[in-house]
Structure formats: structure tokens, C-alpha cells
């Protein structure tokens, strides 16, 4: 068993199953169905690995796999820190 | 690509897929055409809440019936939809809110809903982490059967059940034109071929206005950019969705333990713009930690955007339009499309099959906006 997404506990088998049985053809669909890349690392570890599995399974080149939109913040930020900045302006 | 279908549904969100399923139960062959992947628009970006506490009788009735369907949907469709009924707690901030809440609760109870008004000191019995003074609450309304479900799982469950029954779903297929002849629909032209049909359902969410234009119909819908944050996971600390109509905030703890919530961005943005903003992130964080100060050490992991497809009265547009036979609207949900989808799909399937709808939907037609005296839904957040 190969762990691909450490944050959300997703294995290579889970991804292959989602591609073969659920018809996923994009990283976005894998994200939605499996929570791939939704954890604290925001896909830094799993997305390149998942892209390679997806490319292999769909007969595409890795460069043809569309990457997910990266979302802010770049690193996790505490709510209190974000809130404090607005309070100063109040 | 299939050449002919009884019904072509534009949009593979939860409403489009649910409708394909409901039509399949009646032996009506539907084809869903989706520009991207399933649930790629508002369905997959929404707050996932299911609320029955509305100010308008139409929304309340649709939502109550939808919850009844959600409750048996896993069994019916044969796969998980992630339903969890932890209730919705709606903050009451002043006497004016209280007056409206009393009116709403009376109407909702007349429809059979289990909903009550709480005193301020009862709020922490439901959601222990709330700071009653910080959120400036004098009370709340609470409905224990409100909750949330997983929009992706729900959409795929409907889509797979529909396909098992003979519906076809074309992903990554873009509608380019709706071919009409006088007052009739003839076909839908896509980038992958043309499908002959007499019935087209416009379930394209924020893009419904553009789809309607292809058929020469003008919709009053406006896309509003909305934003959501999600935090890291934590142990379960509360079950209810907390919302306030005055602050516009909503937040809940999802199944995996993360807090997910939204609030109207400080600057209202209309049109198809998708950039997340720092001003939203700060406004959301400061309001959320005012409501629940204990969350201030919790990390925000991600923010994203999506669209509300907003109508002038914040109620959906459902049914056939005047002047173009077979052109059915299923849009304008104004931020509530996911939670209303089970009942909306059932009603539109009845309408398309020529049956009497089990709830009246005549008041939700497009033509209501020709009059100036339509009543607006007041219970809107996000």
C-alpha cells in the first residue's frame, strides 16, 4: 500500500479506483471525491504524485495534466492573526 | 454523441443531475451537458448547508420537502451523501430581528417544521463555543433537522443513479447554441455535436443568463462572487450551523472536523471574477473570532470563491418560460441551490412529464418579475 496524500490518508489504490471506477479524469475530480490535497500541506506532497498516476492511467503525459488552482493562504495562518489586522483599523 | 433526447439539461451541478435522475424514474431520457466536470460550479463550491428556516413560504416549503428526500436519499440512490443533521442556529440581535424571527417561526411551524426561539442563555446549550456578548445576540432560532450534506457525493450519487437508469452525462462539453424555430425548441448545439430535443432545462447556475440568451430569453439573474474559508481539522466541538442575517456570516464544523464558513465580502463584486481577496479573509476571520473567540488559534488552510446566481427576490426561477415552449428554467437559486435541489428536481420532472406538481411552482416563474410587487426572501447569508 502506497500512501499518496499524507494529510488525508489517501493511497495509490484509492486514486486508481477513483479513476477506473468513478471515471475521474482530472485532479479536481480526485480532490472532490477523495479530499486529495485538501489537508494542511495543500497538496504540496500529493499533487505531483497523483498527477503521475493520473497520467499513467489516462495515457497522457504528466505535462498534459491540468494542475489544481492554488488557493490562498500560501501557508496556514491562525484566524486570530488575520482578525487582529482588521481590528487595528476599526 | 447521442443525436436525440427527450430532454437536454444544461449544467451538471446537483440540480441538473438530480433532475436527470427524477426524469429517468418516469422513463424520460435526459442528457446532461456540462462544460467542465460535475459539481464544478456553485454546487462544488458551496457551504453545503441544508436549511429549512426561511422567510418566504415558497423557500421553506421547498426546503422542508427537500430535507424529507435528503433523509432517505442514501437508501434510494445506493450511495453515501454525507448527510448530517446538526441543526441551524440563527442569531437574533435586536427587537426588529426578534419580530421577523417570530413571523418566520410561525409560518415555518404552520408547514410542520420543528423550530423554536431560544433565549440568549440557551444558545451555549446548542453551540458551547459561542460568545453571546461578542456576537451581540439576544436570542436565536433553532431547527434541529437542518444540517448539511456533501455536495460532491450527492451530485455523483444522483448522476450515477441517473446513468444506471439510462440517462447520459457528457462532461467537458460546452453548449454553443440553442436552436429554435418560432416558439419551439429544436436542438442544442455543443462543441461535440448537436442533440435534437424539444425540451431544454437551463440549470447552468451563474451562467444560466448566458444560456438563456442563446434561446433569446432574458433572465434578470446576476452572478455575485462569494468566498469561503476552511480551517484545519479539530476534534468535534459543535454540531449546528451558526448564521446571522445581520452580519451575513455562516459557519459550521464539517464531518472531518474543519470549520467552514463564509460572509459577504466587504466589497460587493458582480460579474465572472474569481480572485479570492484578503479583505474577505480578514473580515471573515474577525467576525468568526468575535462569534467564537476560542477559534483564534485555529489555522486557516484555504479560501476559494464561487458564484451566487442571484434573482431580484432571491427566489429561484422554475418552470417553462412564456413564448418558448419546452424551455425550462432551473436557476436563480441565489445561494440556496444545493439545499433545494431534491424537491426542485422532483417538481420539474413532474412538470416535464405533464403531471400536476406536488407543490405549486407557478409563483416561481420568470414572468413574476414583470410585476413590481414581488416579495423578497429576507433570510439570506453569505
Amino acid at each position: 500500500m502506497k500512501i499518496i496524500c499524507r494529510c488525508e490518508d489517501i493511497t495509490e489504490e484509492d486514486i486508481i479506483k477513483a479513476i477506473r471506477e468513478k471515471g475521474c479524469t482530472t485532479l479536481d475530480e480526485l480532490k472532490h471525491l477523495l479530499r486529495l490535497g485538501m489537508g494542511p500541506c495543500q497538496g504540496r506532497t500529493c499533487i505531483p504524485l497523483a498527477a503521475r498516476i493520473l497520467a499513467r492511467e489516462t495515457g497522457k503525459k504528466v505535462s498534459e495534466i491540468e494542475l489544481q488552482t492554488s488557493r490562498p493562504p500560501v501557508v496556514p495562518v491562525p484566524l486570530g492573526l488575520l482578525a487582529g489586522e482588521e481590528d487595528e483599523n476599526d | 454523441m447521442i443525436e436525440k433526447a427527450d430532454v437536454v439539461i444544461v449544467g451538471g451541478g446537483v440540480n441538473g443531475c438530480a433532475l436527470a435522475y427524477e426524469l429517468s424514474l418516469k422513463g424520460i431520457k435526459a442528457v446532461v451537458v456540462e462544460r467542465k466536470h460535475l459539481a464544478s460550479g456553485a454546487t462544488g463550491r458551496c457551504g453545503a448547508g441544508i436549511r429549512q428556516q426561511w422567510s418566504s413560504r415558497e423557500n421553506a416549503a421547498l426546503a422542508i420537502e427537500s430535507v424529507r428526500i435528503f433523509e432517505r436519499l442514501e437508501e434510494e440512490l445506493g450511495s453515501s451523501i454525507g448527510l448530517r443533521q446538526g441543526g441551524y442556529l440563527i442569531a437574533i440581535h435586536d427587537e426588529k430581528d426578534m419580530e421577523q424571527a417570530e413571523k418566520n417561526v410561525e409560518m415555518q411551524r404552520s408547514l410542520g417544521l420543528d423550530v423554536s426561539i431560544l433565549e440568549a442563555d440557551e444558545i451555549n446549550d446548542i453551540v458551547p463555543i459561542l460568545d453571546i456578548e461578542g456576537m451581540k445576540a439576544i436570542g436565536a432560532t433553532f431547527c434541529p433537522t437542518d444540517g448539511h450534506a456533501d455536495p460532491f457525493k450527492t451530485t455523483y450519487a444522483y448522476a450515477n443513479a441517473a446513468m444506471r437508469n439510462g440517462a447520459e452525462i457528457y462532461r467537458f462539453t460546452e453548449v454553443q447554441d440553442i436552436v429554435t424555430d418560432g416558439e419551439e425548441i429544436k436542438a442544442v448545439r455543443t462543441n461535440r455535436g448537436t442533440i435534437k430535443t424539444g425540451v431544454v432545462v437551463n440549470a447552468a447556475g451563474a451562467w444560466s443568463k448566458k444560456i438563456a440568451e442563446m434561446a433569446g430569453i432574458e433572465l434578470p439573474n446576476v452572478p455575485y462572487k462569494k468566498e469561503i474559508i476552511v480551517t484545519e481539522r479539530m476534534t468535534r466541538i459543535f454540531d449546528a450551523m451558526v448564521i446571522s442575517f445581520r452580519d451575513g456570516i455562516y459557519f459550521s464544523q464539517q464531518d472531518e472536523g474543519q470549520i467552514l464558513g463564509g460572509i459577504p465580502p466587504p466589497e460587493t463584486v458582480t460579474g465572472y471574477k474569481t480572485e479570492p481577496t484578503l479583505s474577505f479573509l480578514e473580515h471573515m476571520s474577525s467576525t468568526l473570532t468575535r462569534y467564537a473567540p476560542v477559534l483564534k488559534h485555529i489555522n486557516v488552510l484555504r479560501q476559494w470563491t464561487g458564484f451566487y446566481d442571484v434573482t431580484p427576490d432571491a427566489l429561484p426561477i422554475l418552470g417553462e418560460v412564456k413564448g418558448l415552449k419546452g424551455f425550462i428554467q432551473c436557476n436563480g437559486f441565489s445561494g440556496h441551490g444545493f439545499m433545494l435541489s431534491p424537491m426542485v428536481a422532483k417538481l420539474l420532472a413532474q412538470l416535464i412529464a405533464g403531471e400536476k406538481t406536488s407543490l405549486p411552482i407557478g409563483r416561481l416563474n420568470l414572468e413574476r418579475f414583470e410585476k413590481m410587487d414581488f416579495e423578497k426572501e429576507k433570510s439570506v447569508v453569505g
Side-chain angles (χ1 to χ4, degrees), chain B residues 11-24:
Chain B
V14 68
N15 276 287
C17 294
L19 180 55
Y21 168 73
E22 291 293 344
L23 286 168
S24 76

PDB file of all heavy atoms in Angstrom, chain B residues 11-24:
ATOM      1  N   GLY B  11     -25.987  21.896 -17.660  1.00  0.00           N
ATOM      2  CA  GLY B  11     -25.421  22.106 -16.330  1.00  0.00           C
ATOM      3  C   GLY B  11     -25.399  20.824 -15.516  1.00  0.00           C
ATOM      4  O   GLY B  11     -26.444  20.262 -15.195  1.00  0.00           O
ATOM      5  N   GLY B  12     -24.181  20.372 -15.162  1.00  0.00           N
ATOM      6  CA  GLY B  12     -24.012  19.145 -14.375  1.00  0.00           C
ATOM      7  C   GLY B  12     -23.738  19.454 -12.916  1.00  0.00           C
ATOM      8  O   GLY B  12     -22.842  18.886 -12.300  1.00  0.00           O
ATOM      9  N   GLY B  13     -24.486  20.380 -12.362  1.00  0.00           N
ATOM     10  CA  GLY B  13     -24.464  20.609 -10.923  1.00  0.00           C
ATOM     11  C   GLY B  13     -25.470  19.678 -10.274  1.00  0.00           C
ATOM     12  O   GLY B  13     -26.034  18.779 -10.920  1.00  0.00           O
ATOM     13  N   VAL B  14     -25.724  19.895  -8.991  1.00  0.00           N
ATOM     14  CA  VAL B  14     -26.622  18.981  -8.283  1.00  0.00           C
ATOM     15  C   VAL B  14     -28.032  19.042  -8.863  1.00  0.00           C
ATOM     16  O   VAL B  14     -28.700  18.017  -9.002  1.00  0.00           O
ATOM     17  CB  VAL B  14     -26.615  19.248  -6.760  1.00  0.00           C
ATOM     18  CG1 VAL B  14     -27.232  20.592  -6.409  1.00  0.00           C
ATOM     19  CG2 VAL B  14     -27.307  18.117  -6.013  1.00  0.00           C
ATOM     20  N   ASN B  15     -28.499  20.227  -9.262  1.00  0.00           N
ATOM     21  CA  ASN B  15     -29.858  20.316  -9.801  1.00  0.00           C
ATOM     22  C   ASN B  15     -29.999  19.587 -11.128  1.00  0.00           C
ATOM     23  O   ASN B  15     -30.972  18.866 -11.348  1.00  0.00           O
ATOM     24  CB  ASN B  15     -30.292  21.778  -9.915  1.00  0.00           C
ATOM     25  CG  ASN B  15     -30.836  22.303  -8.602  1.00  0.00           C
ATOM     26  OD1 ASN B  15     -31.931  21.949  -8.188  1.00  0.00           O
ATOM     27  ND2 ASN B  15     -30.038  23.104  -7.902  1.00  0.00           N
ATOM     28  N   GLY B  16     -29.024  19.762 -12.018  1.00  0.00           N
ATOM     29  CA  GLY B  16     -29.070  19.086 -13.314  1.00  0.00           C
ATOM     30  C   GLY B  16     -29.045  17.583 -13.164  1.00  0.00           C
ATOM     31  O   GLY B  16     -29.831  16.863 -13.798  1.00  0.00           O
ATOM     32  N   CYS B  17     -28.141  17.095 -12.304  1.00  0.00           N
ATOM     33  CA  CYS B  17     -28.010  15.645 -12.129  1.00  0.00           C
ATOM     34  C   CYS B  17     -29.225  15.047 -11.411  1.00  0.00           C
ATOM     35  O   CYS B  17     -29.693  13.965 -11.744  1.00  0.00           O
ATOM     36  CB  CYS B  17     -26.721  15.322 -11.373  1.00  0.00           C
ATOM     37  SG  CYS B  17     -25.246  15.738 -12.323  1.00  0.00           S
ATOM     38  N   ALA B  18     -29.744  15.788 -10.418  1.00  0.00           N
ATOM     39  CA  ALA B  18     -30.935  15.314  -9.701  1.00  0.00           C
ATOM     40  C   ALA B  18     -32.131  15.248 -10.650  1.00  0.00           C
ATOM     41  O   ALA B  18     -32.923  14.298 -10.608  1.00  0.00           O
ATOM     42  CB  ALA B  18     -31.240  16.225  -8.516  1.00  0.00           C
ATOM     43  N   LEU B  19     -32.243  16.242 -11.520  1.00  0.00           N
ATOM     44  CA  LEU B  19     -33.365  16.251 -12.465  1.00  0.00           C
ATOM     45  C   LEU B  19     -33.247  15.086 -13.455  1.00  0.00           C
ATOM     46  O   LEU B  19     -34.244  14.432 -13.774  1.00  0.00           O
ATOM     47  CB  LEU B  19     -33.438  17.596 -13.196  1.00  0.00           C
ATOM     48  CG  LEU B  19     -34.569  17.744 -14.208  1.00  0.00           C
ATOM     49  CD1 LEU B  19     -35.927  17.452 -13.586  1.00  0.00           C
ATOM     50  CD2 LEU B  19     -34.558  19.143 -14.820  1.00  0.00           C
ATOM     51  N   ALA B  20     -32.015  14.815 -13.931  1.00  0.00           N
ATOM     52  CA  ALA B  20     -31.820  13.680 -14.845  1.00  0.00           C
ATOM     53  C   ALA B  20     -32.291  12.392 -14.171  1.00  0.00           C
ATOM     54  O   ALA B  20     -32.928  11.538 -14.792  1.00  0.00           O
ATOM     55  CB  ALA B  20     -30.355  13.577 -15.246  1.00  0.00           C
ATOM     56  N   TYR B  21     -31.994  12.269 -12.878  1.00  0.00           N
ATOM     57  CA  TYR B  21     -32.413  11.080 -12.129  1.00  0.00           C
ATOM     58  C   TYR B  21     -33.940  11.016 -12.006  1.00  0.00           C
ATOM     59  O   TYR B  21     -34.557   9.974 -12.288  1.00  0.00           O
ATOM     60  CB  TYR B  21     -31.773  11.074 -10.742  1.00  0.00           C
ATOM     61  CG  TYR B  21     -32.378  10.055  -9.816  1.00  0.00           C
ATOM     62  CD1 TYR B  21     -32.114   8.700  -9.986  1.00  0.00           C
ATOM     63  CD2 TYR B  21     -33.247  10.442  -8.786  1.00  0.00           C
ATOM     64  CE1 TYR B  21     -32.692   7.752  -9.160  1.00  0.00           C
ATOM     65  CE2 TYR B  21     -33.823   9.496  -7.954  1.00  0.00           C
ATOM     66  CZ  TYR B  21     -33.557   8.155  -8.142  1.00  0.00           C
ATOM     67  OH  TYR B  21     -34.142   7.225  -7.326  1.00  0.00           O
ATOM     68  N   GLU B  22     -34.548  12.124 -11.585  1.00  0.00           N
ATOM     69  CA  GLU B  22     -36.012  12.117 -11.402  1.00  0.00           C
ATOM     70  C   GLU B  22     -36.724  11.840 -12.731  1.00  0.00           C
ATOM     71  O   GLU B  22     -37.740  11.146 -12.759  1.00  0.00           O
ATOM     72  CB  GLU B  22     -36.483  13.457 -10.813  1.00  0.00           C
ATOM     73  CG  GLU B  22     -36.056  13.687  -9.362  1.00  0.00           C
ATOM     74  CD  GLU B  22     -36.710  12.742  -8.370  1.00  0.00           C
ATOM     75  OE1 GLU B  22     -37.725  12.100  -8.711  1.00  0.00           O
ATOM     76  OE2 GLU B  22     -36.204  12.644  -7.229  1.00  0.00           O
ATOM     77  N   LEU B  23     -36.196  12.375 -13.831  1.00  0.00           N
ATOM     78  CA  LEU B  23     -36.799  12.113 -15.145  1.00  0.00           C
ATOM     79  C   LEU B  23     -36.643  10.631 -15.513  1.00  0.00           C
ATOM     80  O   LEU B  23     -37.561  10.025 -16.080  1.00  0.00           O
ATOM     81  CB  LEU B  23     -36.152  13.002 -16.214  1.00  0.00           C
ATOM     82  CG  LEU B  23     -36.552  14.487 -16.174  1.00  0.00           C
ATOM     83  CD1 LEU B  23     -35.630  15.313 -17.083  1.00  0.00           C
ATOM     84  CD2 LEU B  23     -38.012  14.690 -16.589  1.00  0.00           C
ATOM     85  N   SER B  24     -35.483  10.063 -15.158  1.00  0.00           N
ATOM     86  CA  SER B  24     -35.249   8.654 -15.505  1.00  0.00           C
ATOM     87  C   SER B  24     -36.263   7.741 -14.821  1.00  0.00           C
ATOM     88  O   SER B  24     -36.644   6.709 -15.366  1.00  0.00           O
ATOM     89  CB  SER B  24     -33.817   8.243 -15.146  1.00  0.00           C
ATOM     90  OG  SER B  24     -33.675   8.047 -13.743  1.00  0.00           O
TER      91      SER B  24
END
